[in-house]
Amino acid sequence: MEPAEAEFLAEKELVTIVPNFSLDRIHLIGGDLGPFNPGLPVEVPVWLAINLKQRQKCRLIPPEWMDVAKLEEIRDQERKEDTFTPMPSPYYMELTKLLLNYASDNIPKADEIRTLVKDTWDTRIAKLRLSADSFVKQQEAHAKLDNLTLMEINTIGTFLTQALDHMYKLRSNLQPSESARSQDF
Amino acid sequence: NEKFAPELLESKPEIIECVVEQLDHMEANLKRAKKGDLKVSVHHMEIERIRYVLSSYLRCRLVKIEKFFPHVLEKEKSRAEGEPSILSPEEFAFAKEYMANTETYLKNAALKHMPPNLQKVSLLKSVPKPNLDSFVFLRVLERQENILVEPETDEQREYTIDLEEGSQHLIRYKTIAPLVASGAVQLI
């Protein structure tokens, strides 16, 4: 899966905005979006929020986990633990990128937040690399990976699955069996 | 699920029809009501998103059909009466045409010029089968117990695991294929 596709899925998450226009309830195929009144916060999916912000029709409110103290806590927790800690949102990476790109003026201390999220990401990817390495070395058949977000799995996923497939093919060709495929013409 | 599964999954005509119907309905509404710029553009954006997901799904299926066409047709021919189909009627027609075209092409390009007793080629044997042993990532939607994990090497022994709801795993496709079909797990 491409990172762009992971971002597409992340855009379905809900985020709070404060519109500066008014519109009554709209009935989308995916569900209803509440009446919009200027000055009153309302929840919309990220794809709509970004679009409205670009047209200068609203102000974005950062999710409650996107705050320096909270992110520092998460980063330190991640560094302490050997396994993966639960992340505040399964799409934290994509949401950070989208919100900081399009609405950094609505988010206090945007640069610090960017650095903190990047640090957490680097720690998690390093842990992931180590564990993938040991998975392949010990030729495990199964791994449990809770608390990993889609973006992280994608980053390493295609490479890992293809490498494992190759190794399986090499291993099964070592043992000649009657089901060995060979082309007879 | 379709994107990450190594084989072609069951065709879901009801869902596809429902989505297409909703899209057409919404588009007709938009054409009629040309007022309120904002509402129209929001609906339009949503239509585009849904259309993207739908076409990406269908494209994925077509790629798999083209890649494994003899095996897909064979499976469809040999499936029992009550079992759900893996191809929609349009996909079935496409697959048959593709097969006929490939056969004609091979015959005209090469086989015609070979000695008569070598003029047949078994597409079933020459086109690679989908690799059901490939590893996939999955998320568990319904709790499952005692899933057998087969050993990789000769020194290991097989063991069973339980799949907790909401957890994520990396495992061979073959073991969990029935769970994907029943909707108990989701491939990620």
Side-chain angles (χ1 to χ4, degrees):
Chain A
M1 189 188 262
E2 304 285 315
E5 289 172 333
E7 200 179 82
F8 183 79
L9 290 178
E11 285 173 347
K12 284 193 306 185
E13 295 285 299
L14 292 177
V15 73
T16 322
I17 60 163
V18 177
N20 57 15
F21 60 95
S22 71
L23 191 61
D24 43 326
R25 217 181 212 138
I26 46 175
H27 307 279
L28 290 178
I29 298 178
D32 291 345
L33 287 182
F36 297 84
N37 293 311
L40 290 183
V42 64
E43 288 210 335
V44 296
V46 172
W47 57 268
L48 185 57
I50 302 283
N51 195 279
L52 290 177
K53 173 76 185 170
Q54 283 175 316
R55 295 200 260 185
Q56 295 176 326
K57 284 193 175 311
C58 75
R59 184 169 63 87
L60 278 171
I61 301 194
E64 52 127 23
W65 52 264
M66 201 175 269
D67 151 73
V68 176
K70 200 103 198 282
L71 287 176
E72 267 178 4
E73 207 186 297
I74 291 177
R75 180 197 60 177
D76 294 334
Q77 180 82 346
E78 190 70 46
R79 282 187 180 159
K80 257 194 333 194
E81 301 276 330
D82 269 345
T83 58
F84 294 96
T85 57
M87 280 286 118
S89 155
Y91 294 109
Y92 73 97
M93 200 63 193
E94 296 89 318
L95 286 179
T96 320
K97 178 203 163 228
L98 284 172
L99 295 180
L100 289 177
N101 274 353
Y102 293 107
S104 50
D105 47 335
N106 291 155
I107 302 178
K109 304 210 193 138
D111 289 333
E112 283 188 36
I113 292 188
R114 219 192 289 261
T115 332
L116 285 172
V117 171
K118 180 130 201 339
D119 285 343
T120 319
W121 168 266
D122 288 336
T123 320
R124 288 171 72 92
I125 291 289
K127 280 193 211 169
L128 190 56
R129 249 202 302 264
L130 283 177
S131 82
D133 197 36
S134 73
F135 185 89
V136 171
K137 272 213 184 76
Q138 294 164 14
Q139 295 177 18
E140 299 274 347
H142 159 261
K144 191 159 192 279
L145 11 89
D146 295 348
N147 297 330
L148 268 186
T149 66
L150 191 59
M151 200 70 172
E152 288 147 1
I153 294 182
N154 275 337
T155 307
I156 204 168
T158 322
F159 167 70
L160 190 58
T161 44
Q162 282 184 358
L164 290 169
D165 289 345
H166 277 306
M167 286 192 40
Y168 178 73
K169 280 194 207 143
L170 290 173
R171 257 203 308 271
S172 49
N173 283 336
L174 279 180
Q175 310 143 358
S177 56
E178 5 6 306
S179 65
R181 264 176 215 153
S182 66
Q183 313 252 311
D184 358 289
F185 284 108
Chain B
N1 277 1
E2 192 72 55
K3 199 175 195 100
F4 294 108
E7 54 171 2
L8 192 63
L9 298 177
E10 225 175 277
S11 148
K12 306 257 187 223
E14 338 76 52
I15 302 187
I16 299 200
E17 266 173 39
C18 183
V19 174
V20 170
E21 206 184 293
Q22 293 268 338
L23 283 178
D24 289 338
H25 190 65
M26 193 53 92
E27 268 193 37
N29 276 350
L30 284 188
K31 270 209 200 31
R32 273 183 305 141
K34 216 20 187 113
K35 60 169 163 66
D37 179 44
L38 195 53
K39 257 195 187 179
V40 165
S41 65
V42 173
H43 281 282
H44 191 67
M45 275 193 283
E46 211 217 355
I47 287 182
E48 290 301 313
R49 283 177 65 91
I50 297 183
R51 215 195 285 277
Y52 167 71
V53 177
L54 184 62
S55 48
S56 136
Y57 170 71
L58 292 173
R59 215 175 335 175
C60 189
R61 287 181 68 85
L62 285 180
V63 164
K64 278 198 221 167
I65 291 179
E66 283 187 14
K67 210 168 164 197
F68 304 123
F69 63 94
H71 306 285
V72 163
L73 286 173
E74 188 60 37
K75 201 168 167 190
E76 188 64 18
K77 244 193 293 185
S78 59
R79 97 183 141 89
E81 237 339 284
E83 268 174 40
S85 164
I86 47 170
L87 291 174
S88 74
E90 294 93 350
E91 285 167 352
F92 189 53
F94 171 73
K96 280 209 296 225
E97 244 182 83
Y98 191 81
M99 180 137 180
N101 283 342
T102 318
E103 279 175 354
T104 321
Y105 170 67
L106 287 178
K107 203 181 308 182
N108 287 339
L111 292 178
K112 234 176 18 183
H113 308 290
M114 299 214 198
N117 58 341
L118 287 175
Q119 270 188 15
K120 294 196 133 292
V121 67
S122 160
L123 284 173
L124 210 57
K125 271 203 239 160
S126 19
V127 174
K129 265 170 86 146
N131 179 18
L132 296 175
D133 283 320
S134 45
F135 274 85
V136 290
F137 291 92
L138 57 89
R139 181 177 303 133
V140 180
L141 301 174
E142 288 166 17
R143 187 162 196 279
Q144 302 291 322
E145 313 211 326
N146 292 333
I147 305 293
L148 193 65
V149 179
E150 284 168 36
E152 299 286 310
T153 63
D154 291 327
E155 295 97 56
Q156 292 168 358
R157 255 171 297 118
E158 53 190 28
Y159 55 99
T160 63
I161 49 171
D162 295 331
L163 298 177
E164 299 290 325
E165 193 179 315
S167 60
Q168 299 171 167
H169 301 263
L170 169 63
I171 199 174
R172 285 202 195 289
Y173 177 73
K174 206 162 45 170
T175 336
I176 49 110
L179 299 178
V180 175
S182 73
V185 307
Q186 178 192 20
L187 298 178
I188 52 182

